[in-house]
Amino acid sequence: MSMNSFGHLFRVTTWGESHGPALGATVDGCPPGVPVDAAMLQQWLDRRKPGQNKYTTQRREPDEVEILSGVFEGQTTGTPVQLMIRNTDQRSKDYSEIMDKFRPGHADITYWQKYGIRDYRGGGRSSARETAARVAAGGLARAALAVLVPGVQIKGYMTCMGAHEIDRGRFDWDQIDENPFWTPDAQAAQDWAVYLDDLRKSGNSVGAVIEVVARGVPAGLGAPVYGKIDTDLAAAMMSINAVKGVEIGEGMSAAMLTGDHNADEITMGPDGPEYSSNHAGGVLGGITTGQDVVVRFAVKPTSSILTPRKTITKSGEATEIVTKGRHDPCVGIRAVPVGEAMMVCVILDHLLLHRGQVGENRGQIG
Ligand SMILES: Cc1cc2nc3c(=O)[nH]c(=O)nc-3n(C[C@H](O)[C@H](O)[C@H](O)COP(=O)(O)O)c2cc1C
């Protein structure tokens, strides 16, 4: 069983636990000749790593990626690329209290029920530290995409923190990298800073919505019926820790629209088909239209909070737990680069599948 892998041709397998010596990703199927080095991958890991500002956990994890195989003289060789990140800031004592208790909202109880053994330190395999490995693999996928389809841009940002939504009228792409929340709304960033600061000081946490957009994706990626690109995107996003909902394009709101509003009208433009809107999120019948591919996911509030919570021990006794240790007040912030990485991997994977089966698009328009 390969439950730790995703992707068809660009196949990513992640391994490791949060308090083991290291974790990483084995990427099989990366095309040869892609220029890549550790520094190129590191730039993406630095966006996810903890301790960047006071709104993320103060754990000090440098998250330095090492490339152990599959790259020779600065280029991929077409053989498996082994990416490794050493764990260096493990404070196992922070977790000794939870050895026999199940933390509410965490996978402690289900891993125990299923396997009867678990690495309780920091959540072990269920820890979101695993997402560092995905981001490293996503960096490699970005490098490959840049060679194969240079125009593709993939960007994630936060659209909602708790009940506080951005104002789409103030949407500014250039703002995304300018604030700690990766939000395109500068005013929201200011408001959220005050809100999250209060929440953090009171030891509480909040959820978030993240949107990831892929621009410049060619028409034709994805396949019927079980190979839909939106199926793979949804699975990829849902596999991220703490994600409880995924939408493509209009998503759940499509149910509230009428057909004349929802079906994006098509006209012929100078360079091919143009659409009047993008309720479809860039995907029709599981195949990309050439419009922006738009995915949104909801991240639940951090479960490890300072408020005492009721739980039980392994022997079934009632107890209480206060999760000490260093935790994000809004894990959605650090989920942004993770969502981007998953989008890049899925897009590249489908590009490779498309090249293998079809090559150039066969249906010409105009
Ligand atoms: C980037 C990232 C960082 C996270 N950091 C924390 C954290 O510091 N504390 C916490 O309680 N949960 C954190 N989580 C969420 C837990 O890993 C997750 O809720 C837990 O493993 C249970 O899995 P589930 O929520 O997917 O069911 C984080 C999630 C992500 C995506």
Side-chain angles (χ1 to χ4, degrees):
M1 283 198 292
S2 53
M3 300 305 181
N4 293 282
S5 307
F6 71 96
H8 306 275
L9 290 186
F10 186 84
R11 185 113 178 116
V12 178
T13 303
T14 72
W15 51 269
E17 291 84 23
S18 74
H19 283 60
L23 49 74
T26 310
V27 183
D28 204 357
C30 185
V34 174
V36 70
D37 60 21
M40 285 169 72
L41 307 183
Q42 193 61 46
Q43 59 175 314
W44 305 111
L45 279 153
D46 286 349
R47 288 157 63 86
R48 193 215 73 104
K49 84 176 176 198
Q52 295 299 293
N53 54 63
K54 64 179 174 182
Y55 306 106
T56 60
T57 171
Q58 295 306 303
R59 290 189 299 260
R60 293 261 165 251
E61 292 156 352
D63 283 1
E64 264 168 34
V65 63
E66 296 168 49
I67 302 176
L68 301 188
S69 70
V71 177
F72 182 63
E73 294 180 341
Q75 291 189 21
T76 54
T77 57
T79 61
V81 181
Q82 181 73 312
L83 304 170
M84 185 177 79
I85 300 155
R86 291 176 203 274
N87 292 322
T88 55
D89 184 36
Q90 309 115 313
R91 292 195 197 169
S92 297
K93 65 177 164 40
D94 278 347
Y95 297 100
S96 52
E97 216 228 345
I98 57 168
M99 194 162 69
D100 292 314
K101 294 179 182 177
F102 302 119
R103 293 168 301 165
H106 279 278
D108 304 347
I109 191 163
T110 49
Y111 271 48
W112 176 254
Q113 284 175 305
K114 183 176 177 74
Y115 298 112
I117 179 168
R118 73 189 173 98
D119 180 348
Y120 55 82
R121 301 164 306 165
R125 179 71 183 153
S126 74
S127 163
R129 226 182 122 53
E130 183 271 345
T131 61
R134 303 169 186 230
V135 174
L140 180 63
R142 278 201 199 251
L145 257 188
V147 172
L148 298 173
V149 200
V152 177
Q153 285 181 316
I154 289 166
K155 193 91 186 146
Y157 43 88
M158 203 187 276
T159 61
C160 216
M161 180 185 286
H164 308 278
E165 245 183 286
I166 60 163
D167 178 343
R168 297 249 173 200
R170 293 194 295 247
F171 195 109
D172 180 355
W173 287 99
D174 295 334
Q175 278 300 319
I176 297 173
D177 290 340
E178 300 300 316
N179 62 77
F181 311 113
W182 313 111
T183 181
D185 178 348
Q187 181 62 52
Q190 284 185 22
D191 300 345
W192 295 354
V194 179
Y195 169 68
L196 198 60
D197 224 12
D198 286 348
L199 210 66
R200 184 175 60 87
K201 285 179 190 148
S202 69
N204 212 341
S205 66
V206 72
V209 176
I210 286 98
E211 193 165 276
V212 186
V213 173
R215 308 196 119 165
V217 176
L221 308 193
V225 170
Y226 301 107
K228 290 178 172 180
I229 197 165
D230 38 359
T231 306
D232 282 353
L233 281 170
M237 300 305 170
M238 194 55 112
S239 75
I240 301 171
N241 307 50
V243 172
K244 298 307 279 184
V246 183
E247 299 184 329
I248 311 284
E250 203 63 52
M252 291 288 175
S253 307
M256 287 167 252
L257 297 180
T258 51
D260 60 335
H261 190 168
N262 185 61
D264 308 309
E265 288 189 299
I266 311 169
T267 52
M268 192 60 192
D271 301 320
E274 288 179 359
Y275 295 83
S276 59
S277 48
N278 189 13
H279 297 289
V283 183
L284 290 172
I287 298 174
T288 54
T289 60
Q291 290 181 281
D292 289 356
V293 177
V294 184
V295 181
R296 217 170 297 106
F297 58 90
V299 179
K300 74 186 191 185
T302 321
S303 304
S304 296
I305 49 175
L306 294 172
T307 318
R309 311 295 318 276
K310 286 195 183 114
T311 187
I312 54 170
T313 64
K314 265 192 323 198
S315 50
E317 286 150 14
T319 183
E320 269 199 347
I321 192 161
V322 177
T323 316
K324 298 189 197 97
R326 298 151 291 164
H327 297 276
D328 292 281
C330 176
V331 293
I333 302 172
R334 291 177 57 230
V336 173
V338 183
E340 288 179 347
M342 297 310 278
M343 174 77 112
V344 185
C345 289
V346 172
I347 300 279
L348 174 65
D349 189 36
H350 276 274
L351 183 81
L352 297 178
L353 285 167
H354 180 70
R355 287 200 327 172
Q357 189 200 10
V358 182
E360 293 292 315
N361 281 356
R362 293 167 60 86
Q364 296 305 313
I365 299 176

